[in-house]
Amino acid sequence: MKKAIEEIRQFNLERDWDQFHTPENLAKSISIEAGELLECFQWDANYDPEHVKEEMADVYSYLLMMADELNVDLEEITLAKIEKNKIKYPVERARGNSAKYDKLD
Amino acid sequence: MKKAIEEIRQFNLERDWDQFHTPENLAKSISIEAGELLECFQWDANYDPEHVKEEMADVYSYLLMMADELNVDLEEITLAKIEKNKIKYPVERARGNSAKYDKLD
Amino acid sequence: MKKAIEEIRQFNLERDWDQFHTPENLAKSISIEAGELLECFQWDANYDPEHVKEEMADVYSYLLMMADELNVDLEEITLAKIEKNKIKYPVERARGNSAKYDKLD
Amino acid sequence: MKKAIEEIRQFNLERDWDQFHTPENLAKSISIEAGELLECFQWDANYDPEHVKEEMADVYSYLLMMADELNVDLEEITLAKIEKNKIKYPVERARGNSAKYDKLD
């Protein structure tokens, strides 16, 4: 994770692009790139692995930039979210069930 | 990155949720969570940092699951994409310019 | 609205594309096109009106196809949703306030 | 279409919400609601028709507001886009083929 964000910082610095990377614009960018990733699966479950990888990289890059901008550790916030999800989705009620937590029996 | 994906694997294993995590469904999930992240910035640039962190964690979790499912290294594909972007966005033409590569002067 | 959906039906019939237009695939398509519309506003509030119109048309086309597929009247469901929103967002509490209904004072 | 947009205008006027409805914010809103519509199909093709209708109504409402704000006729721009698509997707090459126009044989 270290090397990617360092390369991204250098890339943006050289192009003077940090001015565009407000949290709001990065949130838009993550959504836009997520749409392009979804487009790889628009009509069926078959997909071009190389294309998928590129779109995953785009989502990840903007997510890294947002984490960098907000001074957030992605690993740490994800572990914290998993702990919350353990409470929202207790094993005994969620097992084999894709329902949303407020629709679990 | 190691610890988060290991926790996620364990979480999903206990709930027997891997059956739902096809690449296509994960692509949908990334897009859905990216929309929830964007919602934090729907009407203005102000945002609730705790809410933003949770939505970032959700996008990241599904992205980690997709990388795990496709046996892809996020760091590696991102570095490869940066190399491609260096060619698409040459410093001298892209500096201070937010235009898309096919609209650069 | 009549003419657009008739033209779309004819367009799809000639290309034998109805087989791809399951509700699920149309939901993906609406999301993908909404991302392309958002891309017109990725870095600032300036936009190319012609590009915006084309992306709006794409979102609308898939929405019309989904309404057609599900035998739903867009006008009717929208009027019903407005009635629900009147209850969720009472004038006296929502005036000049962009907060979500569950965050209204 | 007339009645829905009139009801929406009145709803927003009473709440003094037009101040939030810039084209950029409406583009974000369409994307956010499209994500909620997609969530109805997150894990499989089964869906709750009432929930789907509500999310379709939300996408449509923001699209109507954007069209109203930009003084655009949705029917007209959609018919124009279909004409463009007829050229991008010639019947003989696109028949039964879900490939994007730049990937058609």
Side-chain angles (χ1 to χ4, degrees):
Chain A
M1 211 140 102
K2 282 277 157 48
K3 186 139 172 51
I5 189 59
E6 276 166 22
E7 285 275 338
I8 289 170
R9 279 183 194 145
Q10 182 66 19
F11 182 92
N12 288 329
L13 184 67
E14 286 173 1
R15 283 157 190 78
D16 191 20
W17 277 5
D18 288 321
Q19 59 182 313
F20 306 121
H21 296 154
T22 62
E24 184 185 357
N25 286 353
L26 292 171
K28 283 186 273 176
S29 302
I30 290 167
S31 215
I32 292 162
E33 298 299 341
E36 294 185 10
L37 176 57
L38 184 61
E39 196 183 1
C40 299
F41 304 88
Q42 187 169 11
W43 303 118
D44 56 42
N46 296 323
Y47 57 90
D48 168 355
E50 291 313 308
H51 192 183
V52 166
K53 280 184 214 170
E54 289 205 23
E55 301 302 345
M56 289 174 75
D58 286 340
V59 174
Y60 186 52
S61 297
Y62 284 123
L63 194 59
L64 282 176
M65 282 189 236
M66 188 180 242
D68 200 37
E69 175 73 23
L70 301 185
N71 219 1
V72 155
D73 181 325
L74 282 179
E75 174 95 0
E76 190 182 302
I77 60 172
T78 301
L79 291 170
K81 190 65 202 288
I82 294 169
E83 290 311 308
K84 284 191 80 163
N85 281 343
K86 284 180 185 169
I87 295 162
K88 276 165 92 173
Y89 296 96
V91 168
E92 60 278 13
R93 288 165 66 211
R95 198 191 320 262
N97 188 344
S98 66
K100 218 174 161 174
Y101 68 94
D102 55 1
K103 297 278 168 61
L104 286 177
D105 301 327
Chain B
M1 214 140 97
K2 283 275 157 48
K3 186 141 173 50
I5 189 58
E6 276 166 21
E7 285 274 339
I8 289 170
R9 279 182 196 146
Q10 181 66 21
F11 182 92
N12 288 328
L13 183 68
E14 286 172 3
R15 283 157 191 79
D16 191 20
W17 277 5
D18 288 321
Q19 59 181 312
F20 306 121
H21 296 154
T22 61
E24 184 185 357
N25 286 352
L26 292 170
K28 283 188 272 176
S29 301
I30 290 168
S31 214
I32 292 163
E33 298 299 340
E36 294 184 11
L37 176 56
L38 184 61
E39 196 182 2
C40 299
F41 304 89
Q42 187 170 11
W43 303 118
D44 55 43
N46 297 322
Y47 57 91
D48 169 354
E50 291 312 309
H51 191 184
V52 166
K53 279 185 216 170
E54 289 205 22
E55 300 302 345
M56 289 174 75
D58 285 340
V59 174
Y60 187 52
S61 297
Y62 283 122
L63 194 59
L64 282 176
M65 281 188 237
M66 187 180 243
D68 201 37
E69 175 74 22
L70 301 186
N71 218 0
V72 155
D73 181 325
L74 281 179
E75 174 96 358
E76 190 182 303
I77 60 172
T78 300
L79 291 170
K81 189 66 201 285
I82 295 168
E83 291 311 308
K84 284 190 81 163
N85 281 343
K86 284 180 185 170
I87 294 163
K88 275 165 94 172
Y89 296 96
V91 169
E92 61 277 13
R93 290 164 67 208
R95 198 189 323 261
N97 188 345
S98 65
K100 216 174 164 175
Y101 67 95
D102 55 0
K103 297 279 170 60
L104 287 177
D105 301 327
Chain C
M1 213 138 98
K2 282 275 158 48
K3 186 142 172 47
I5 189 58
E6 276 167 21
E7 285 275 336
I8 289 170
R9 279 182 197 148
Q10 181 66 20
F11 182 92
N12 288 328
L13 183 68
E14 286 173 2
R15 283 157 190 79
D16 191 20
W17 277 5
D18 288 321
Q19 59 182 313
F20 305 122
H21 297 153
T22 62
E24 183 184 1
N25 286 353
L26 293 171
K28 284 187 271 175
S29 301
I30 291 167
S31 216
I32 292 163
E33 297 298 340
E36 295 186 10
L37 176 57
L38 185 61
E39 197 183 1
C40 299
F41 304 88
Q42 187 170 11
W43 303 119
D44 55 42
N46 296 323
Y47 57 92
D48 169 355
E50 291 312 309
H51 192 183
V52 166
K53 279 184 216 172
E54 287 204 23
E55 301 301 346
M56 289 174 74
D58 286 340
V59 174
Y60 186 52
S61 296
Y62 284 122
L63 194 59
L64 282 176
M65 281 188 240
M66 185 179 244
D68 200 38
E69 175 72 24
L70 301 185
N71 218 1
V72 154
D73 180 325
L74 282 179
E75 174 95 0
E76 191 182 301
I77 60 173
T78 300
L79 291 170
K81 190 66 201 287
I82 294 168
E83 291 310 307
K84 283 189 82 162
N85 281 343
K86 284 181 185 170
I87 294 163
K88 276 166 92 174
Y89 295 98
V91 169
E92 61 276 15
R93 289 166 66 211
R95 200 193 316 266
N97 189 343
S98 65
K100 216 173 162 174
Y101 68 95
D102 55 1
K103 297 279 168 61
L104 286 177
D105 300 325
Chain D
M1 212 139 99
K2 281 276 159 49
K3 186 142 173 49
I5 189 59
E6 276 166 21
E7 285 275 337
I8 290 171
R9 279 183 195 146
Q10 181 66 20
F11 182 92
N12 288 327
L13 182 68
E14 286 173 2
R15 284 156 190 78
D16 192 19
W17 276 5
D18 288 321
Q19 59 182 312
F20 306 121
H21 297 153
T22 61
E24 184 185 357
N25 286 352
L26 292 171
K28 283 188 271 175
S29 302
I30 290 167
S31 215
I32 292 163
E33 298 298 341
E36 295 185 11
L37 176 56
L38 185 61
E39 197 183 1
C40 299
F41 303 89
Q42 187 169 10
W43 303 118
D44 56 44
N46 296 324
Y47 57 91
D48 169 354
E50 290 313 309
H51 192 185
V52 166
K53 281 185 213 170
E54 288 205 23
E55 301 302 345
M56 289 175 75
D58 286 340
V59 174
Y60 186 53
S61 296
Y62 284 123
L63 194 59
L64 282 176
M65 281 189 237
M66 187 179 245
D68 200 38
E69 176 72 24
L70 301 185
N71 218 0
V72 154
D73 181 325
L74 281 178
E75 173 96 359
E76 190 182 303
I77 60 173
T78 300
L79 291 171
K81 190 66 200 291
I82 294 168
E83 291 309 309
K84 284 190 80 164
N85 282 342
K86 284 181 186 170
I87 294 163
K88 276 167 92 173
Y89 295 96
V91 169
E92 62 277 15
R93 287 165 66 210
R95 199 191 319 262
N97 188 344
S98 66
K100 218 174 162 176
Y101 68 93
D102 55 0
K103 297 278 168 61
L104 286 178
D105 301 326

